[in-house]
């Protein structure tokens, strides 16, 4: 390169630096006027778009909103984040959705994280449908929310959340009288089970080392659960893919679908993810043979209420025999015999919200001490083919 050419190149570079410096200077001046002199933000932006785009975070909401409403994608993104932070996610949606194609992967990750914090599942689902939701934890949480098959979600991710997959179910605790396998097919169910387990472990009932629970196992795609809020919760164990994949060394199962009223059948509890802890404790007592003290279904009364004597730790059926001293009429049997219960007042077996009383805790412990729990280990033969089933 000749010396003349070198001088020309240096001159060009100096001009570029001067122009750039001048541009930044003009941009700063325009930006200052918007902040302090109420200058027209849209006109100022178009005079120095690069400078404004780099300093959008410093703009007040009113100025940022003007740019966002004029389809400036960087402003749409920034303004939508502010709206989400103010719990105005519905309004925010019109801005980030309009400029979604212009966002970088990093920006989409930040947007997704903010939507996740607000539990905006429909918005995250929309992002995923447009292939704009980046891979990562938020996408995995959405898969859990949408009940994606467990084979479609990273086992490591499930484990990091404190849950289990079918491949790594924890072993039963030999110190406990009963070991309970807990499962759910959706995200809120996994978290609700964890909440129940933590509450139980803080105050074990009826005492320590009676029930031990596995980490909640994610089983979406392996079991079909169909019910609504007004129906008894039901899951199709007979046709499920789970049938031959569950361990056979647990005493009971807790399965948590989204809907349906709680019930216990053959060592399996079904309880929905909107239930509260007192309902869960009520159902645990069913595991050990306790009966409801409100009117039982007629189909159950047809066989239970024809029996005599103690049909449950808390229920005595009389066909003319004298009930135990200090027991009181129960509503359980409207057909057949007359049912009696140990408490004159309502108990947890009549109204779950009351919680466990001292009297019923003692009754529970007395019954377990007498039986060691043996008559009540009866997981469903539909699941555990090698374990006996007792009705």
């Amino acid at each position: 390169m000749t010396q003349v050419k070198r001088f020309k190149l240096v001159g060009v570079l100096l001009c570029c630096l001067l122009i750039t410096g001048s541009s930044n200077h003009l941009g700063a001046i325009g930006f200052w006027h918007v902040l302090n002199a109420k200058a027209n933000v849209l006109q100022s932006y178009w005079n120095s778009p690069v400078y404004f785009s780099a300093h959008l975070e410093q703009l007040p909401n009113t100025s940022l909103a003007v740019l966002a409403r004029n389809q400036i994608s960087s402003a749409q993104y920034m303004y939508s984040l502010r709206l989400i932070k103010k719990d105005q996610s519905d309004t925010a949606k019109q801005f980030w959705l309009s400029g979604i194609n212009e966002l970088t992967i990093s920006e989409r990750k930040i947007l997704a994280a903010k939507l996740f914090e607000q539990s905006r599942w429909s918005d995250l689902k929309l992002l995923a449908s447009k292939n704009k939701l980046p891979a990562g934890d938020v996408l995995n949480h959405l898969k859990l929310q949408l009940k994606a098959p467990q084979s479609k979600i990273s086992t490591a991710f499930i484990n990091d959340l404190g849950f289990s997959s079918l491949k790594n179910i924890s072993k039963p605790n030999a110190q406990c009288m009963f070991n309970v396998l807990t499962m759910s097919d959706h995200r809120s169910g996994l978290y609700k089970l964890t909440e129940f387990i933590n509450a139980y472990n803080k105050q074990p009932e009826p005492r320590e080392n009676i029930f031990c629970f596995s980490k909640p196992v994610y089983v979406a795609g392996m079991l079909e659960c169909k019910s609504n809020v007004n129906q008894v919760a039901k899951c199709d164990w007979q046709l499920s893919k789970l049938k031959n994949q569950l361990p056979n060394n647990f005493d009971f199962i807790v399965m948590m679908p989204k809907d349906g009223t709680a019930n216990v059948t053959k060592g399996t509890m079904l309880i929905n993810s909107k239930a509260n802890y007192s309902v869960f404790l009520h159902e645990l007592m069913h595991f050990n043979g306790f009966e409801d003290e409100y009117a039982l279904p007629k189909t159950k009364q047809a066989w239970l209420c024809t029996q005599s004597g103690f049909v449950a730790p808390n229920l005595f059926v009389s066909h003319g025999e004298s009930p135990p001293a200090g027991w009181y009429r129960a509503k359980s049997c409207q057909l057949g015999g007359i049912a009696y219960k140990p408490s004159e007042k309502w108990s947890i077996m009549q109204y779950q919200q009351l919680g466990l009383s001292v009297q019923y805790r003692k009754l529970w412990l007395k019954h377990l001490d007498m039986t060691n729990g043996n008559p009540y280990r009866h997981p469903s033969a539909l699941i555990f083919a090698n374990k006996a089933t007792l009705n």
Side-chain angles (χ1 to χ4, degrees), residues 35-54:
L35 294 179
N36 299 282
K38 298 183 179 180
N40 185 302
V41 64
L42 186 60
Q43 181 179 339
S44 298
Y45 172 87
W46 288 121
N47 287 336
S48 305
V50 175
Y51 186 92
F52 267 71
S53 294

Side-chain angles (χ1 to χ4, degrees), residues 91-307:
T91 304
K93 184 176 181 178
Q94 63 180 299
F95 293 104
W96 61 254
L97 184 59
S98 177
I100 192 65
N101 291 329
E102 306 301 322
L103 298 186
T104 65
I105 292 179
S106 177
E107 288 172 335
R108 283 186 275 126
K109 282 186 175 181
I110 293 172
L111 173 63
K114 298 299 182 183
L115 293 173
F116 173 68
E117 289 174 5
Q118 298 288 332
S119 298
R120 298 286 295 188
W121 299 112
S122 60
D123 289 348
L124 291 171
K125 184 179 178 181
L126 177 61
L127 279 176
S129 70
K130 293 179 175 294
N131 200 29
K132 298 298 182 181
L133 183 57
D137 286 354
V138 174
L139 177 58
N140 283 325
H141 275 290
L142 179 62
K143 289 179 181 179
L144 287 179
Q145 180 70 14
L146 298 178
K147 302 170 65 171
Q150 50 91 32
S151 59
K152 301 294 184 181
I153 303 177
S154 163
T155 298
F157 173 75
I158 293 174
N159 294 342
D160 288 344
L161 295 180
F163 310 132
S164 295
S165 66
L166 283 172
K167 298 177 182 179
N168 62 350
I169 296 174
S170 55
K171 293 182 180 180
N173 187 335
Q175 294 182 340
C176 287
M177 184 177 289
F178 304 108
N179 279 276
V180 184
L181 182 62
T182 66
M183 300 182 293
S184 186
D185 61 350
H186 63 291
R187 183 179 182 276
S188 58
L190 296 172
Y191 280 98
K192 177 65 77 168
L193 283 171
T194 300
E195 178 187 318
F196 283 172
I197 293 168
N198 290 339
Y200 179 88
N201 289 338
K202 285 183 180 179
Q203 184 176 338
E205 297 289 5
R207 65 171 177 237
E208 290 186 3
N209 297 328
I210 299 298
F211 289 100
C212 284
F213 301 90
S214 74
K215 290 181 179 180
V217 183
Y218 184 60
V219 294
M222 307 294 290
L223 184 69
E224 187 72 19
C225 296
K226 289 185 177 180
S227 54
N228 60 43
V229 292
N230 299 315
Q231 294 177 325
V232 172
K234 295 179 181 179
C235 294
D236 193 351
W237 296 103
Q238 180 63 29
L239 300 177
S240 77
K241 297 177 182 178
L242 274 175
K243 200 163 129 180
N244 299 317
Q245 296 191 40
L246 296 178
N248 59 14
N249 50 0
F250 283 83
D251 300 294
F252 300 112
I253 288 176
V254 174
M255 177 63 198
M256 184 167 278
K258 276 192 174 182
D259 296 302
T261 57
N263 61 92
V264 168
T265 304
K266 296 182 178 179
T268 299
M269 179 197 304
L270 294 178
I271 182 170
N272 72 64
S273 53
K274 293 178 280 291
N276 58 39
Y277 180 71
S278 58
V279 175
F280 176 67
L281 196 58
H282 171 102
E283 301 301 326
L284 276 184
M285 295 179 75
H286 279 314
F287 276 162
N288 293 152
F290 281 75
E291 280 293 350
D292 295 318
E293 294 172 0
Y294 49 79
L296 297 169
K298 290 183 179 180
T299 53
K300 189 167 189 177
Q301 290 188 45
W303 61 267
L304 183 71
C305 297
T306 59
Q307 301 178 40

Side-chain angles (χ1 to χ4, degrees), residues 245-390:
Q245 296 191 40
L246 296 178
N248 59 14
N249 50 0
F250 283 83
D251 300 294
F252 300 112
I253 288 176
V254 174
M255 177 63 198
M256 184 167 278
K258 276 192 174 182
D259 296 302
T261 57
N263 61 92
V264 168
T265 304
K266 296 182 178 179
T268 299
M269 179 197 304
L270 294 178
I271 182 170
N272 72 64
S273 53
K274 293 178 280 291
N276 58 39
Y277 180 71
S278 58
V279 175
F280 176 67
L281 196 58
H282 171 102
E283 301 301 326
L284 276 184
M285 295 179 75
H286 279 314
F287 276 162
N288 293 152
F290 281 75
E291 280 293 350
D292 295 318
E293 294 172 0
Y294 49 79
L296 297 169
K298 290 183 179 180
T299 53
K300 189 167 189 177
Q301 290 188 45
W303 61 267
L304 183 71
C305 297
T306 59
Q307 301 178 40
S308 297
F310 286 99
V311 297
N314 64 318
L315 212 61
F316 181 92
V317 177
S318 169
H319 292 271
E321 305 91 344
S322 297
W327 283 50
Y328 302 87
R329 183 78 176 262
K331 296 181 179 180
S332 307
C333 293
Q334 307 293 311
L335 305 172
I338 298 173
Y340 292 87
K341 59 189 179 71
S343 174
E344 183 177 12
K345 299 179 180 179
W346 283 19
S347 77
I348 189 173
M349 299 312 296
Q350 186 168 358
Y351 184 60
Q352 297 97 320
Q353 312 304 324
L354 291 175
L356 184 64
S357 67
V358 173
Q359 180 187 15
Y360 274 64
R361 182 179 293 110
K362 289 180 179 178
L363 183 64
W364 195 356
L365 283 169
K366 179 182 178 181
H367 181 69
L368 289 175
D369 288 341
M370 289 173 58
T371 63
N372 196 34
N374 288 321
Y376 300 103
R377 287 186 172 89
H378 47 89
S380 171
L382 297 179
I383 305 165
F384 299 145
N386 63 338
K387 297 188 81 172
T389 300
L390 296 178

